[in-house]
Amino acid sequence: MEQTKADTHDWTAVLVRIRDDRDETAFVELFRHFAPRLKAFLMRSGGDPALAEECAQEVMATVWQKSAQFDPARASVATWIFTIARNRRIDALRKQKRPEPEDLPWGPEAEPDQEDQLGLQQDTETLTEAMAALPSKQRDLIEKAYFGDLTHNEIADLTGLPLGTIKSRIRLALQRLRHAMDRK
Amino acid sequence: MTTITHHLTDDLILGYSAGTLPEAVNLIIATHISLCDECRAAIEAQDAVGGAVLDTIGEMPVSDAFLDGALSMIRGGDFAPSPRPIKIAQDAVAPAPLRDYIGGTLDDVKWRPIGMGVKQAILPTSREATARLLFIPAGTAMPDHGHRGLELTLVLQGAFQDDEGCFRRGDIEIADEDLHHTPVADISEDCICLAVTDAPLRLKGLARLAQPFLRI
């Protein structure tokens, strides 16, 4: 299995077409890109190929179902799809529910502006590059953590990645949502 | 939102994002970040690492049959788009993830007395760790105890104080083997906490005898 390069295709625009226009062509485009990655991710997490395919299919259908909750000022498309896949994995492999935080309600006035979205996408690309530049041993450990291969104690020893910029940006986006809520 | 001064640690943030923690620990974290935007932002930033892993992991071929399957799923009723949440039913004390496990609001909790006016209710999660709601009357001291594993305590109402400081609504205390403490509920109001342990507590004296019956 070859490592794929992080691509710079504007998946946010594709997902927004699904979210706002229920565009099936956009869904097909997103499926062709992400379903093979989801299958690889779920197989590395311990699923057999058949289960991985079935889960990948369900994750993509859930993307369609939940697209209204996608906030491009807080997550890239890959990040958002990852969270759905992770929850599906906990459900399928560990037979557990995954408690999620309370949704933040938001109306049209809270629609993120282009600059916030672009900033987040750029931060995410910088992070992906920083990860690619890590010594392979450290990168392997981070990947293992995300495939569910590390115990909690092993995770405690992992050194942090530079996430400060992304965190501040998400913090601002959350403030904007809270502000919009208060005005209602 | 109130000002929260006691937050999650980096290992809990990474564990929640990676999805490797026990269900009860996920529950207390989800409840905390419903009240704490600082930690919610930290977790969403950590999720970006998961996104980068998914982005660069490689591809395994998926046949068109699965694409066709996905298309019929999204055209059917089960995956009909859910609308953007406009207004949530706000519970004064229990955020949404906790209400899911209570099966209602705090008024629906089936409390069991465990002595000194203290009441508890164990929530249904997997057995790797235990989640319980605790009701501690204003001014009451909990038994002096240490920990064999992790003990996480999130304040939902009122406040408590121990050697580590004062914990108010939204604050989370993270105790491990090194901490031995006697939390005391603030006098102003009855204290309600969500507490999660992954091993039985180390109690001193008489309280130890009752321990097997109370599952603490």
Side-chain angles (χ1 to χ4, degrees):
Chain A
M1 194 159 50
E2 259 184 50
Q3 292 256 315
T4 36
K5 216 175 147 335
D7 70 306
T8 45
H9 189 92
D10 187 5
W11 293 111
T12 300
V14 177
L15 188 47
V16 166
R17 270 158 61 208
I18 293 175
R19 189 189 71 183
D20 297 348
D21 308 328
R22 304 278 149 227
D23 183 338
E24 284 191 9
T25 320
F27 181 78
V28 172
E29 209 182 318
L30 203 67
F31 187 99
R32 289 198 191 285
H33 181 77
F34 280 102
R37 286 169 169 76
L38 287 166
K39 183 179 170 186
F41 178 80
L42 293 158
M43 283 176 68
R44 286 284 295 275
S45 304
D48 61 47
L51 180 70
E53 272 170 337
E54 206 180 293
C55 287
Q57 186 185 43
E58 259 187 62
V59 168
M60 292 310 297
T62 307
V63 166
W64 175 272
Q65 182 184 30
K66 294 197 167 162
S67 58
Q69 287 166 29
F70 173 66
D71 179 354
R74 281 157 61 204
S76 75
V77 174
T79 298
W80 190 66
I81 294 182
F82 154 74
T83 62
I84 294 173
R86 171 202 59 206
N87 295 359
R88 187 69 192 86
R89 181 185 71 193
I90 293 173
D91 187 38
L93 298 179
R94 289 169 60 191
K95 314 282 178 219
Q96 289 180 11
K97 278 198 294 181
R98 158 81 177 190
E100 284 287 308
E102 199 153 82
D103 278 335
L104 298 174
W106 45 312
E109 73 273 25
E111 194 64 47
D113 69 41
Q114 285 289 328
E115 209 175 307
D116 287 350
Q117 293 185 31
L118 273 175
L120 194 274
Q121 304 312 315
Q122 278 162 8
D123 292 346
T124 309
E125 278 163 37
T126 311
L127 172 70
T128 309
E129 283 160 20
M131 277 176 63
L134 286 174
S136 62
K137 202 178 158 194
Q138 203 182 343
R139 201 176 58 233
D140 283 354
L141 272 179
I142 291 170
E143 287 185 352
K144 270 190 174 167
Y146 277 89
F147 299 140
D149 282 348
L150 295 188
T151 66
H152 180 59
N153 288 338
E154 290 169 314
I155 275 185
D157 296 334
L158 271 184
T159 47
L161 282 160
L163 294 173
T165 323
I166 296 189
K167 187 184 151 188
S168 329
R169 204 178 289 278
I170 294 171
R171 187 79 182 83
L172 285 174
L174 290 173
Q175 264 169 18
R176 179 174 45 73
L177 285 180
R178 297 274 179 210
H179 185 66
M181 270 163 73
D182 289 345
R183 280 205 316 256
K184 277 184 210 162
Chain B
M1 289 203 135
T2 49
T3 312
I4 291 168
T5 50
H6 298 275
H7 296 280
L8 296 174
T9 48
D10 286 348
D11 57 328
L12 287 173
I13 288 167
L14 177 52
Y16 184 80
S17 169
T20 49
L21 299 171
E23 186 179 358
V25 180
N26 284 338
L27 172 61
I28 197 169
I29 292 178
T31 307
H32 172 72
I33 61 181
S34 298
L35 301 169
C36 177
D37 278 353
E38 185 67 27
C39 289
R40 190 194 282 253
I43 279 170
E44 290 184 2
Q46 186 67 55
D47 286 343
V49 176
V53 170
L54 176 65
D55 218 11
T56 54
I57 181 182
E59 299 181 46
M60 294 296 284
V62 174
S63 77
D64 275 353
F66 284 95
L67 173 57
D68 293 341
L71 283 168
S72 36
M73 283 162 94
I74 65 170
R75 287 168 189 156
D78 288 351
F79 289 86
S82 46
R84 185 178 287 188
I86 297 297
K87 196 87 185 162
I88 34 176
Q90 291 278 1
D91 181 297
V93 184
L98 188 55
R99 289 200 300 274
D100 285 348
Y101 279 77
I102 295 171
T105 67
L106 277 183
D107 295 336
D108 302 306
V109 174
K110 298 189 179 48
W111 296 104
R112 290 185 51 196
I114 58 172
M116 298 180 307
V118 179
K119 296 183 284 184
Q120 75 165 4
I122 292 176
L123 301 174
T125 65
S126 70
R127 297 189 66 88
E128 309 144 279
T130 306
R132 58 166 53 76
L133 284 164
L134 286 170
F135 177 97
I136 309 154
T140 304
M142 289 296 281
D144 179 18
H145 64 274
H147 311 93
R148 290 188 179 83
L150 189 67
E151 182 190 48
L152 305 172
T153 312
L154 173 68
V155 179
L156 299 164
Q157 176 190 296
F160 73 83
Q161 180 114 31
D162 65 14
D163 295 344
E164 301 296 301
C166 185
F167 294 80
R168 296 181 183 83
R169 174 165 166 85
D171 282 335
I172 187 164
E173 178 169 60
I174 297 160
D176 58 16
E177 285 92 347
D178 302 329
L179 182 75
H180 210 95
H181 66 160
T182 310
V184 181
D186 193 81
I187 196 70
S188 60
E189 196 181 1
D190 295 332
C191 181
I192 298 177
C193 294
L194 174 63
V196 170
T197 44
D198 65 358
L201 304 180
R202 275 185 228 203
L203 294 172
K204 280 189 172 171
L206 276 178
R208 214 175 58 211
L209 296 174
Q211 198 171 8
F213 305 105
L214 304 175
R215 285 182 60 197
I216 55 177

